[in-house]
Amino acid sequence: MTTPLNERRIANAIRVLAMDAVQQANSGHPGAPMGMADIADVVWREFLTHNPGNPQWINRDRFVLSNGHGSMLQYALLHLTGYDLSIEDLKQFRQLHSKTPGHPELGYAPGIETTTGPLGQGIANAVGFALAEKTLAAQFNKDDLNVVNHFTYCFLGDGCLMEGVSHEACSLAGTLGLGKLIAYYDDNGISIDGEVEGWFSDDTEQRFNAYGWQVLRVDGHDAQAIRQATLKAQTETTKPTLIICKTIIGLGSPNKQGKEDCHGAPLGGEEIKLTREALGWAEEAFVIPEDIYAAWNAKEKGTQAEATWNELFTQYQAKYPLEAAELLRRTSGDLPDDFAEKAAQFISDTNAKAETIATRKASQNTLQAFGPLLPELLGGSADLAGSNLTLWKGCQGIQDNPAGNYVHYGVREFGMTAIANGVALHGGFIPYVATFLMFMEYARNAVRMSALMKQRVIHVYTHDSIGLGEDGPTHQPIEQIASLRGTPNLNTWRPADTVETAVAWKSALERKEGPSALILSRQNLPFQNRNAEQIANIEKGAYILAEEKGELKAIIIATGSEVDLAMQAYTELDGVRVVSMPSAEVFMQQDAAYRETVLPVNIRARVAVEAAHVDYWWKFVGLDGKVIGMTSYGESAPAKDLFKHFGISKDAVINAVKSLA
């Protein structure tokens, strides 16, 4: 180890803050922050371009702590470099309503770019950041003015590399040549269960070489080696770089460094005393000397960096005013001023056409209409573009054109979704990603993260039921829709025809505070006639599609392909109302008065019909009602045979209503 003592002392500020905060909370992971402190010292003080006074500056470098259990590393860095994160905030580590939760959480502390914790997703988000930077730069930069020009730095650990999502995302990053992605692997050989060589013997260097990355090896406690490796990474413009940093977990702790003892538990009062002595750190807990603060503070440097960029952007605005205004609009997340009007016109035109087509095709038609209006759309599919119908005529693959608007993700559902989260977090794009609904299961945790982080990601899922037919039970989703509907802050739409599909897309695009899932059919679905009021009410999640004839006695609730079954039954029943409910979550967000107009509480005779798991619907029909749907997995057969076999039919709906009303 050749790091000078004064530089090691600067890095030691991270070590003492980490062990003190974890000890005070009696919970946390001190080992990773202590082991990675020397890497963080070099990256944050010498390379990271950021402004603590304006954490949302457009052209800042992005930093991702993928091994998010080491969150005190990031909190210490934010505090030391001058962000609005006080020493008192550090003392509240892992406490209720603090700005310093147990893993980095977007929106809690300034400077946190993404929520990490589920291992592997941070590096996948970082790939998304780098992908967004490269594509946005290609779309906006000019030969004489590069206004989008920043790096993505990511710290990650053994756990991230063991998780399968890292394989998916890093493989694609190499293929796309994301040269401004620089990852630092904390190669400390320790996880919760002990020394990882017993369960993690991959040749990481060869693995990343095979992905098409530049791979460098350094002593993770040698500042000069880290510095030189980072400089080399910055000059490699055609490949992402992995810097494998050999470190000692918990460095500085005389009795626990290099052991799993310091991975996920406080060091203990006596060990902290010994560690302070070993580090030559005389100050009390949570006390940082002023000269150390001065060495870390990045406010002046960050302010100057942003001011320099502002001068560059002023030149850009003068020379390219339209592009400058568009960049600011897109990075603000606002849609074009005329989008709502033009989208409404498309919905009206769609209603006039009255087409009977699959909702996946209706989705493609909607993309064809909305795509030219929204250059911020960045689409993609997990090797199913021809089935998901996510390509529209204006699509250009970024593999062929870096300024394009479509990503061929390959068979990487989890990686795709986590990357899309990173794209959304970066800003400047609205990502949409697609696969079969069944294979949402591969991506499930990343879908959850987009909802948790309130990101505008549009998840397109086609082949939505047993209606896909012959592929059989492995491909026929049963419980997936209920799983999505049960995800907080996710709006799930299952449209019944072309008009509902267009409204679902409009709603998803206009929703800035969270993701949406669009559940689409493989098979053709009949068009449903509506008046203007009914069309307007689609965006409320549920509405009366067919008014009761005579006194209201029963209500049929349906979604997607089963709305037509409900309408067929309606023609043979009196006193029955049909409610189409394309989005139950959106409906439940409406006021009580509207919900009462659609589903009056005094009408207990209710039947729900959906070719999915029945359990979800009891909340709407009550124990007195009936649900027609699936209670088992599917079978392999033509769709019409399957619906008959599983009893999802017009006659079943009629009989259910008659048994109640």
Side-chain angles (χ1 to χ4, degrees), residues 104-117:
E105 299 278 358
L106 183 71
Y108 284 65
I112 301 295
E113 300 282 4
T114 180
T115 298
T116 57

Side-chain angles (χ1 to χ4, degrees), residues 54 56 87 317 332 417 473 485 502 604 625:
N54 182 13
Q56 296 304 310
I87 201 72
Q317 285 177 306
S332 74
T417 309
R485 288 179 178 140
R604 304 288 295 272

Side-chain angles (χ1 to χ4, degrees), residues 75 101-108 112-119 121-122 125 417-418 421-422 424-425 443-457 459 483-484 486-491 511-516:
Y75 298 146
H103 293 81
E105 299 278 358
L106 183 71
Y108 284 65
I112 301 295
E113 300 282 4
T114 180
T115 298
T116 57
L119 293 176
Q121 287 200 61
N125 293 165
T417 309
N421 289 344
L425 288 158
R444 182 72 185 87
N445 200 264
V447 176
R448 181 179 189 269
M449 295 305 293
S450 66
L452 180 65
M453 293 189 286
K454 303 178 181 179
Q455 293 304 296
R456 181 162 49 181
V457 180
H459 305 280
S483 175
L484 291 168
T487 303
N489 198 43
L490 175 68
N491 284 353
R511 186 177 189 235
K512 296 178 70 171
E513 70 278 9
S516 301

Side-chain angles (χ1 to χ4, degrees), residues 464-467 494 496 523 525 556-568 578 609-612 628 643 648 653:
D464 67 345
S465 72
I466 58 172
R494 188 173 184 243
Q523 72 274 31
L525 303 185
I556 305 171
I557 307 169
T559 79
S561 50
E562 288 66 66
V563 167
D564 189 60
L565 286 181
M567 291 300 292
Q568 291 176 39
V578 174
V609 54
E610 184 177 62
I628 297 169
F643 277 93
I648 304 173
V653 177

Side-chain angles (χ1 to χ4, degrees), residues 367 370-371 374-379 392 405 429-430 432 505 509:
L367 279 169
F370 291 174
L374 300 171
E376 56 263 51
L377 280 180
L378 185 62
W392 52 281
N405 59 359
F429 294 100
I430 300 174
Y432 66 91
W505 263 108
L509 289 163

Side-chain angles (χ1 to χ4, degrees), residues 132-142 148 401-404:
E133 190 277 340
K134 182 177 180 178
T135 306
L136 202 66
Q139 292 178 356
F140 284 96
N141 286 350
K142 306 297 181 180
V148 180
N401 178 6

Side-chain angles (χ1 to χ4, degrees), residues 400-438:
D400 301 318
N401 178 6
N405 59 359
Y406 195 85
V407 184
H408 292 278
Y409 283 100
V411 188
R412 299 181 177 98
E413 295 88 356
F414 193 0
M416 170 184 72
T417 309
I419 289 169
N421 289 344
V423 170
L425 288 158
H426 179 278
F429 294 100
I430 300 174
Y432 66 91
V433 290
T435 185
F436 289 169
L437 176 56
M438 185 66 246

